[in-house]
Amino acid sequence: NFMLTQPHSVSESPGKTVTISCTRSSGSVASNYVQWYQQRPGSAPTTVIYEDNQRPFGVSDRFSGSIDTSSNSASLTISGLKTEDEADYYCQSYDSGKRVFGGGTKLTVL
Amino acid sequence: QVQLVESGGGVVRPGRSLRLSCAVSGFTFSSSGMHWVRQAPGKGLEWVAVISYDGSDKYYADSVKGRFTISRDNSKNTVYLQMNSLRVDDTAVYYCAKDRGLGTSWCEYWGQGTPVTISS
């Protein structure tokens, strides 16, 4: 079993770029795909990145994903921040058929 | 368009049972794996269970294994979550989600959730 650790919160100004990390506790981050979900207050989650760096149809190209084996982590980068990006973001990966979520990161755009 | 509608949530006493349903439309249900994911009040997402497209494979989170059972009826386009021996810490909003593939992929679409409260 492994855990995915995310910062509890991040904040940045509109128009800037922010990166949210997701560190895998054991095993290689490259072993299983990582997804990123956005959850706005009072709403269900939606997918913003799948399979490490793929964007679903309709998701802005301001969202990008990557993995870094040296730090054993995945990252979600949001450029040109907008107030509508303010939400909770969760990373997710796989563990022998089970799914593992990170604890979530609250993004504040101020 | 893809729709997932959960139902069956409510207030239940500890130790009792509850069955959640998720009716879907807008995609070929019999070709899609399905998940249940929950979110306790003010907390993050917790994956609960997944079932493959034909019901042959099922996986559970350790926290619910032996108490919860996921099943599906492809003739009714519905996935279920039978929850037994409920505990206070099972209190959460329960979401169903469509797998991108046959049950080995990620959560592509989500329902709006149904709240479950376990309280004496």
Side-chain angles (χ1 to χ4, degrees):
Chain A
N1 291 1
F2 63 88
M3 294 173 53
L4 297 173
T5 300
Q6 301 180 232
H8 185 257
S9 63
V10 296
S11 61
E12 191 49 91
S13 303
K16 299 292 189 180
T17 297
V18 70
T19 297
I20 299 171
S21 63
C22 170
T23 302
R24 179 166 168 158
S25 62
S26 62
S28 173
V29 69
S31 298
N32 307 99
Y33 285 129
V34 175
Q35 280 64 235
W36 290 91
Y37 302 95
Q38 176 193 67
Q39 186 179 33
R40 294 190 173 107
S43 296
T46 61
T47 312
V48 292
I49 293 290
Y50 68 94
E51 293 178 0
D52 296 341
N53 55 19
Q54 302 299 303
R55 275 190 311 276
F57 180 78
V59 171
S60 170
D61 60 5
R62 298 185 299 106
F63 291 82
S64 62
S66 63
I67 63 168
D68 179 357
T69 54
S70 65
S71 60
N72 211 34
S73 63
S75 294
L76 172 69
T77 298
I78 311 171
S79 60
L81 276 169
K82 301 181 178 183
T83 55
E84 68 201 46
D85 298 330
E86 188 161 290
D88 294 326
Y89 292 85
Y90 297 89
C91 59
Q92 174 263 310
S93 192
Y94 308 86
D95 183 9
S96 303
K98 303 176 185 180
R99 309 310 193 263
V100 179
F101 281 98
T105 299
K106 181 177 180 59
L107 169 63
T108 301
V109 181
L110 38 63
Chain B
Q1 72 278 24
V2 173
Q3 287 193 320
L4 301 94
V5 180
E6 302 93 338
S7 62
V11 181
V12 177
R13 297 193 179 220
R16 304 298 291 267
S17 299
L18 200 62
R19 189 177 83 154
L20 306 182
S21 300
C22 173
V24 313
S25 60
F27 64 95
T28 305
F29 181 69
S30 59
S31 298
S32 296
M34 295 295 297
H35 300 262
W36 286 97
V37 178
R38 68 185 181 182
Q39 186 169 35
K43 303 297 184 181
L45 301 175
E46 180 187 14
W47 177 81
V48 172
V50 63
I51 186 169
S52 61
Y53 70 105
D54 60 354
S56 62
D57 289 319
K58 306 173 186 181
Y59 294 92
Y60 298 91
D62 291 345
S63 59
V64 306
K65 195 168 186 178
R67 300 188 299 123
F68 290 11
T69 301
I70 189 171
S71 62
R72 65 190 297 154
D73 186 337
N74 285 352
S75 69
K76 295 183 178 179
N77 281 8
T78 301
V79 62
Y80 304 97
L81 185 68
Q82 177 67 43
M83 305 187 294
N84 298 334
S85 302
L86 283 161
R87 309 189 302 221
V88 171
D89 62 358
D90 293 319
T91 295
V93 173
Y94 284 73
Y95 296 99
C96 70
K98 173 192 176 300
D99 191 84
R100 173 65 177 261
L102 303 177
T104 59
S105 192
W106 45 280
C107 298
E108 183 178 22
Y109 294 103
W110 299 64
Q112 287 304 305
T114 186
V116 171
T117 301
I118 312 303
S119 173
S120 55

